[in-house]
Amino acid sequence: MTTSTARVLALLEILQGSGLHTVPDLAVRLGVDERTVRRYVGHLLELGVPVDSVRGRHGGYRLAPGYRMPPLMLTDEEALAVLLGLLTGRRAGLVTTSAAANESATAKLRRVLPKALGRRLDALLETADFTARPRPTTTPAPEAHVLLELAEAARHQRPVTLNYTDRKGRSTDRTVLPYGLVAHSGRWYLTAAPTAPADTAGPARPTAPVASSASASAGEEIRTFRLDRITSLTVQPGSFTVPPDFDPVTALLDGLAHTPWTHEVSLRIHADAQHIRRHLPAGIASLTVIPDGGGDWGAGAPDAAQRADNGRQPRPDGSNGPATADDHTTGWVHVHMRAERLDWIPPVLAALDRPFVIERPTALRDLVRALARRLDEHATADAPAHPPM
């Protein structure tokens, strides 16, 4: 859509509001001069939109009384789906446009709906609430064109070159194979594989065979990119094939769990994977089922835990146990996490209420002991005397 066409439609949107609009006011709102406003009005008249011109000192333009754009042909359920999608997308922080654009789209949709349906939807929007709080707006939303272009490239399996700014503020250009897009925790992410230069002018190819899902061995090959850190992209010629069993969500959660942080935490917990997952979801920790006898390992034996990863494929819950393992079978499970702070982990271990061994860091053991002492003091303290009635 050209800029002039977009502004003509913007003029129509303004005129659909009630009242008379002066030429100077329209020029300011559209960001053009007064002569251009009159030309845009001429375009609307050519399209059959009845625009009245009011002359005089307080004159201007307005739509002919009684004129309305054709109603949007949506069923009640379709209109509900669209409006709720706009609302929840804004609250979740997944909208790739400004809040004003989201509200404008909601208002446009609301205005062309039948009155009875509009009243019902208004009542729903006024009374509905969400269990999750609206996400803060400090994280910039990705540009809409970035999200849409990446979606198209992933659909048609075309390589893309990204200009990307990493968490340390370094900007680089890199060419990747876009496998899928994932909305997670209020952000959009791209899961992709790096490419190697082709020997000829033919299609780009992966640097190595990419595993069908994110595993410990494939972690070096799958890359995760935040869309709000992509400043530009270019779709490249060529094509690629996504592994048939590749799961973008599993790859993202595994990648987030292995992101480098201040502290690297290694635990062994005697519990079934499902119980651990209720307290440590896949985006926070990776799980590895330890073979029989693994509970006898001493503290600080990461090599044994690494041996347990060999030949294992990740399951949907994010653990790396054997494909035939029963997630409800109680045994020793190796838990690996990275965290900026450690103070939240002791309460989680207490809530798990299962035997555990802290392999590293030592500072976590001190925090657990401190929590245990506080709990013991609270449990053995005498009850305070009741105040007089």
Side-chain angles (χ1 to χ4, degrees), residues 201-222:
R205 55 188 174 84
T207 56
V210 180
S212 61
S213 55
S215 63
S217 60
E220 297 180 356
E221 294 140 7
I222 298 298

PDB file of all heavy atoms in Angstrom, residues 201-222:
ATOM      1  N   ALA A 201      26.412 -21.388  -6.828  1.00  0.00           N
ATOM      2  CA  ALA A 201      25.340 -20.409  -6.635  1.00  0.00           C
ATOM      3  C   ALA A 201      24.039 -21.080  -6.231  1.00  0.00           C
ATOM      4  O   ALA A 201      22.989 -20.461  -6.267  1.00  0.00           O
ATOM      5  CB  ALA A 201      25.144 -19.595  -7.910  1.00  0.00           C
ATOM      6  N   GLY A 202      24.111 -22.332  -5.880  1.00  0.00           N
ATOM      7  CA  GLY A 202      22.909 -23.072  -5.530  1.00  0.00           C
ATOM      8  C   GLY A 202      22.382 -22.681  -4.174  1.00  0.00           C
ATOM      9  O   GLY A 202      22.836 -21.720  -3.558  1.00  0.00           O
ATOM     10  N   PRO A 203      21.420 -23.451  -3.673  1.00  0.00           N
ATOM     11  CA  PRO A 203      20.777 -23.098  -2.411  1.00  0.00           C
ATOM     12  C   PRO A 203      21.719 -23.209  -1.226  1.00  0.00           C
ATOM     13  O   PRO A 203      22.682 -23.967  -1.233  1.00  0.00           O
ATOM     14  CB  PRO A 203      19.623 -24.112  -2.311  1.00  0.00           C
ATOM     15  CG  PRO A 203      20.057 -25.264  -3.159  1.00  0.00           C
ATOM     16  CD  PRO A 203      20.859 -24.673  -4.265  1.00  0.00           C
ATOM     17  N   ALA A 204      21.420 -22.423  -0.197  1.00  0.00           N
ATOM     18  CA  ALA A 204      22.191 -22.510   1.038  1.00  0.00           C
ATOM     19  C   ALA A 204      21.953 -23.852   1.698  1.00  0.00           C
ATOM     20  O   ALA A 204      20.929 -24.485   1.502  1.00  0.00           O
ATOM     21  CB  ALA A 204      21.788 -21.376   1.982  1.00  0.00           C
ATOM     22  N   ARG A 205      22.926 -24.288   2.481  1.00  0.00           N
ATOM     23  CA  ARG A 205      22.800 -25.583   3.141  1.00  0.00           C
ATOM     24  C   ARG A 205      23.158 -25.450   4.613  1.00  0.00           C
ATOM     25  O   ARG A 205      23.941 -24.573   4.993  1.00  0.00           O
ATOM     26  CB  ARG A 205      23.731 -26.613   2.483  1.00  0.00           C
ATOM     27  CG  ARG A 205      25.191 -26.162   2.442  1.00  0.00           C
ATOM     28  CD  ARG A 205      26.036 -27.102   1.619  1.00  0.00           C
ATOM     29  NE  ARG A 205      27.386 -26.612   1.455  1.00  0.00           N
ATOM     30  CZ  ARG A 205      28.363 -26.783   2.330  1.00  0.00           C
ATOM     31  NH1 ARG A 205      28.121 -27.442   3.449  1.00  0.00           N
ATOM     32  NH2 ARG A 205      29.576 -26.310   2.105  1.00  0.00           N
ATOM     33  N   PRO A 206      22.615 -26.311   5.481  1.00  0.00           N
ATOM     34  CA  PRO A 206      22.962 -26.252   6.903  1.00  0.00           C
ATOM     35  C   PRO A 206      24.427 -26.567   7.121  1.00  0.00           C
ATOM     36  O   PRO A 206      25.063 -27.253   6.322  1.00  0.00           O
ATOM     37  CB  PRO A 206      22.052 -27.312   7.528  1.00  0.00           C
ATOM     38  CG  PRO A 206      20.990 -27.574   6.504  1.00  0.00           C
ATOM     39  CD  PRO A 206      21.615 -27.317   5.185  1.00  0.00           C
ATOM     40  N   THR A 207      24.985 -26.040   8.217  1.00  0.00           N
ATOM     41  CA  THR A 207      26.381 -26.324   8.535  1.00  0.00           C
ATOM     42  C   THR A 207      26.587 -27.780   8.908  1.00  0.00           C
ATOM     43  O   THR A 207      27.663 -28.315   8.771  1.00  0.00           O
ATOM     44  CB  THR A 207      26.845 -25.442   9.699  1.00  0.00           C
ATOM     45  OG1 THR A 207      25.967 -25.654  10.810  1.00  0.00           O
ATOM     46  CG2 THR A 207      26.799 -23.982   9.325  1.00  0.00           C
ATOM     47  N   ALA A 208      25.552 -28.432   9.437  1.00  0.00           N
ATOM     48  CA  ALA A 208      25.647 -29.833   9.836  1.00  0.00           C
ATOM     49  C   ALA A 208      24.245 -30.390   9.855  1.00  0.00           C
ATOM     50  O   ALA A 208      23.281 -29.645   9.921  1.00  0.00           O
ATOM     51  CB  ALA A 208      26.290 -29.962  11.214  1.00  0.00           C
ATOM     52  N   PRO A 209      24.091 -31.724   9.781  1.00  0.00           N
ATOM     53  CA  PRO A 209      22.742 -32.281   9.893  1.00  0.00           C
ATOM     54  C   PRO A 209      22.108 -31.839  11.202  1.00  0.00           C
ATOM     55  O   PRO A 209      22.666 -32.055  12.268  1.00  0.00           O
ATOM     56  CB  PRO A 209      22.990 -33.798   9.852  1.00  0.00           C
ATOM     57  CG  PRO A 209      24.322 -33.950   9.184  1.00  0.00           C
ATOM     58  CD  PRO A 209      25.118 -32.750   9.596  1.00  0.00           C
ATOM     59  N   VAL A 210      20.950 -31.213  11.109  1.00  0.00           N
ATOM     60  CA  VAL A 210      20.294 -30.674  12.295  1.00  0.00           C
ATOM     61  C   VAL A 210      19.406 -31.736  12.906  1.00  0.00           C
ATOM     62  O   VAL A 210      18.629 -32.383  12.205  1.00  0.00           O
ATOM     63  CB  VAL A 210      19.474 -29.424  11.930  1.00  0.00           C
ATOM     64  CG1 VAL A 210      18.786 -28.875  13.164  1.00  0.00           C
ATOM     65  CG2 VAL A 210      20.390 -28.365  11.330  1.00  0.00           C
ATOM     66  N   ALA A 211      19.528 -31.924  14.199  1.00  0.00           N
ATOM     67  CA  ALA A 211      18.736 -32.942  14.882  1.00  0.00           C
ATOM     68  C   ALA A 211      17.263 -32.630  14.758  1.00  0.00           C
ATOM     69  O   ALA A 211      16.861 -31.483  14.563  1.00  0.00           O
ATOM     70  CB  ALA A 211      19.130 -33.023  16.347  1.00  0.00           C
ATOM     71  N   SER A 212      16.424 -33.652  14.893  1.00  0.00           N
ATOM     72  CA  SER A 212      14.991 -33.467  14.730  1.00  0.00           C
ATOM     73  C   SER A 212      14.375 -32.691  15.864  1.00  0.00           C
ATOM     74  O   SER A 212      13.270 -32.213  15.750  1.00  0.00           O
ATOM     75  CB  SER A 212      14.299 -34.834  14.613  1.00  0.00           C
ATOM     76  OG  SER A 212      14.533 -35.577  15.793  1.00  0.00           O
ATOM     77  N   SER A 213      15.051 -32.583  16.970  1.00  0.00           N
ATOM     78  CA  SER A 213      14.557 -31.766  18.077  1.00  0.00           C
ATOM     79  C   SER A 213      15.747 -31.331  18.904  1.00  0.00           C
ATOM     80  O   SER A 213      16.865 -31.771  18.705  1.00  0.00           O
ATOM     81  CB  SER A 213      13.564 -32.553  18.946  1.00  0.00           C
ATOM     82  OG  SER A 213      14.139 -33.751  19.387  1.00  0.00           O
ATOM     83  N   ALA A 214      15.504 -30.391  19.831  1.00  0.00           N
ATOM     84  CA  ALA A 214      16.621 -29.826  20.590  1.00  0.00           C
ATOM     85  C   ALA A 214      17.131 -30.827  21.611  1.00  0.00           C
ATOM     86  O   ALA A 214      16.433 -31.222  22.518  1.00  0.00           O
ATOM     87  CB  ALA A 214      16.181 -28.538  21.290  1.00  0.00           C
ATOM     88  N   SER A 215      18.334 -31.268  21.454  1.00  0.00           N
ATOM     89  CA  SER A 215      18.949 -32.175  22.416  1.00  0.00           C
ATOM     90  C   SER A 215      20.288 -31.586  22.824  1.00  0.00           C
ATOM     91  O   SER A 215      20.724 -30.570  22.308  1.00  0.00           O
ATOM     92  CB  SER A 215      19.155 -33.561  21.783  1.00  0.00           C
ATOM     93  OG  SER A 215      20.050 -33.477  20.705  1.00  0.00           O
ATOM     94  N   ALA A 216      20.974 -32.256  23.750  1.00  0.00           N
ATOM     95  CA  ALA A 216      22.259 -31.739  24.203  1.00  0.00           C
ATOM     96  C   ALA A 216      23.242 -31.667  23.047  1.00  0.00           C
ATOM     97  O   ALA A 216      24.030 -30.746  22.940  1.00  0.00           O
ATOM     98  CB  ALA A 216      22.808 -32.615  25.321  1.00  0.00           C
ATOM     99  N   SER A 217      23.194 -32.631  22.131  1.00  0.00           N
ATOM    100  CA  SER A 217      24.136 -32.637  21.026  1.00  0.00           C
ATOM    101  C   SER A 217      23.752 -31.639  19.954  1.00  0.00           C
ATOM    102  O   SER A 217      24.605 -31.137  19.244  1.00  0.00           O
ATOM    103  CB  SER A 217      24.202 -34.038  20.414  1.00  0.00           C
ATOM    104  OG  SER A 217      22.932 -34.421  19.931  1.00  0.00           O
ATOM    105  N   ALA A 218      22.436 -31.345  19.825  1.00  0.00           N
ATOM    106  CA  ALA A 218      22.001 -30.431  18.784  1.00  0.00           C
ATOM    107  C   ALA A 218      21.965 -28.997  19.246  1.00  0.00           C
ATOM    108  O   ALA A 218      21.691 -28.108  18.480  1.00  0.00           O
ATOM    109  CB  ALA A 218      20.611 -30.837  18.282  1.00  0.00           C
ATOM    110  N   GLY A 219      22.262 -28.749  20.534  1.00  0.00           N
ATOM    111  CA  GLY A 219      22.165 -27.401  21.059  1.00  0.00           C
ATOM    112  C   GLY A 219      23.107 -26.434  20.369  1.00  0.00           C
ATOM    113  O   GLY A 219      22.856 -25.239  20.334  1.00  0.00           O
ATOM    114  N   GLU A 220      24.232 -26.956  19.804  1.00  0.00           N
ATOM    115  CA  GLU A 220      25.182 -26.082  19.140  1.00  0.00           C
ATOM    116  C   GLU A 220      24.717 -25.718  17.749  1.00  0.00           C
ATOM    117  O   GLU A 220      25.248 -24.806  17.135  1.00  0.00           O
ATOM    118  CB  GLU A 220      26.548 -26.768  19.075  1.00  0.00           C
ATOM    119  CG  GLU A 220      27.154 -27.033  20.449  1.00  0.00           C
ATOM    120  CD  GLU A 220      28.493 -27.718  20.343  1.00  0.00           C
ATOM    121  OE1 GLU A 220      28.900 -28.041  19.211  1.00  0.00           O
ATOM    122  OE2 GLU A 220      29.115 -27.920  21.382  1.00  0.00           O
ATOM    123  N   GLU A 221      23.723 -26.400  17.213  1.00  0.00           N
ATOM    124  CA  GLU A 221      23.307 -26.174  15.838  1.00  0.00           C
ATOM    125  C   GLU A 221      22.042 -25.333  15.738  1.00  0.00           C
ATOM    126  O   GLU A 221      21.880 -24.585  14.785  1.00  0.00           O
ATOM    127  CB  GLU A 221      23.099 -27.522  15.130  1.00  0.00           C
ATOM    128  CG  GLU A 221      24.410 -28.297  14.968  1.00  0.00           C
ATOM    129  CD  GLU A 221      24.245 -29.778  15.211  1.00  0.00           C
ATOM    130  OE1 GLU A 221      23.094 -30.213  15.372  1.00  0.00           O
ATOM    131  OE2 GLU A 221      25.253 -30.490  15.274  1.00  0.00           O
ATOM    132  N   ILE A 222      21.151 -25.448  16.692  1.00  0.00           N
ATOM    133  CA  ILE A 222      19.924 -24.662  16.665  1.00  0.00           C
ATOM    134  C   ILE A 222      20.171 -23.326  17.345  1.00  0.00           C
ATOM    135  O   ILE A 222      20.741 -23.266  18.432  1.00  0.00           O
ATOM    136  CB  ILE A 222      18.772 -25.407  17.367  1.00  0.00           C
ATOM    137  CG1 ILE A 222      18.472 -26.702  16.631  1.00  0.00           C
ATOM    138  CG2 ILE A 222      17.522 -24.536  17.424  1.00  0.00           C
ATOM    139  CD1 ILE A 222      18.018 -26.522  15.200  1.00  0.00           C
TER     140      ILE A 222
END
